[in-house]
Amino acid sequence: MSTRPQKAAPVSSRSGTWRFDAGDGATAFVMILPAAILFGLFYLWPFVNGFWLSLHNWDGFSDPTWAGFSNYMRLAHDRIFLGALRNNLIFVVAVVVLKNVLGLGLALLLNRALLGRAFFRAAAFIPVTMSFVAVGLLWSGSTIPSSACSTAGSISLASPG
């Protein structure tokens, strides 16, 4: 254990106002800005616009009329909607719980020292790699001139006659 005195943490010299100093975050802000604009344009704006439209009665052609929360009140009393909502919630909970419990159980089981552990680990991991293998084979087949994939593609792309 060291007996040297500990240095106190440096105190920030900034004032209470928030501002960008050169190299203090302006670069990060500029780099994040395009992604933030795209996120707002393709995620936030449709979400807000969809919520705004849900507060109206609109058939898609005529002018929307204000309905307030009456659309949501109607959904709260619709038996078909409530049944579909219940089924979705059961499905989501079951999938999340079962995937995590089965995955954790399989991981704990394959972490034990048992006969054929390497085989079972490979058998559990092979489905993960199969999609990459299939895509790789398709792309390599499409780039080799004498392969069946590229021949079929060139025949279908050829002009008639």
Side-chain angles (χ1 to χ4, degrees), residues 71-92:
N71 291 335
Y72 291 103
M73 294 302 294
R74 195 171 67 237
L75 275 180
H77 299 295
D78 186 6
R79 296 180 62 91
I80 295 173
F81 173 76
L82 292 176
L85 183 64
R86 183 181 59 85
N87 291 341
N88 277 299
L89 290 175
I90 291 170
F91 178 76
V92 165

Side-chain angles (χ1 to χ4, degrees), residues 125-138:
F125 193 67
I126 282 176
V128 174
T129 61
M130 280 299 142
S131 61
F132 296 114
V133 170
V135 169
L137 287 173
L138 286 173

Side-chain angles (χ1 to χ4, degrees), residues 40-63:
L41 184 67
F42 292 108
Y43 183 77
L44 292 178
W45 172 248
F47 179 78
V48 171
N49 196 27
F51 177 71
W52 179 253
L53 284 175
S54 74
L55 299 175
H56 293 79
N57 287 330
W58 188 40
D59 61 1
F61 298 105
S62 61
D63 290 334

Side-chain angles (χ1 to χ4, degrees), residues 8-26:
V11 178
S12 176
S13 62
R14 287 185 175 204
S15 64
T17 60
W18 186 76
R19 61 186 172 88
F20 284 116
D21 289 336
D24 190 38

Side-chain angles (χ1 to χ4, degrees), residues 112-126:
R112 290 185 165 181
L114 58 103
L115 184 64
R117 179 172 72 168
F119 169 76
F120 290 116
R121 282 183 175 176
F125 193 67
I126 282 176

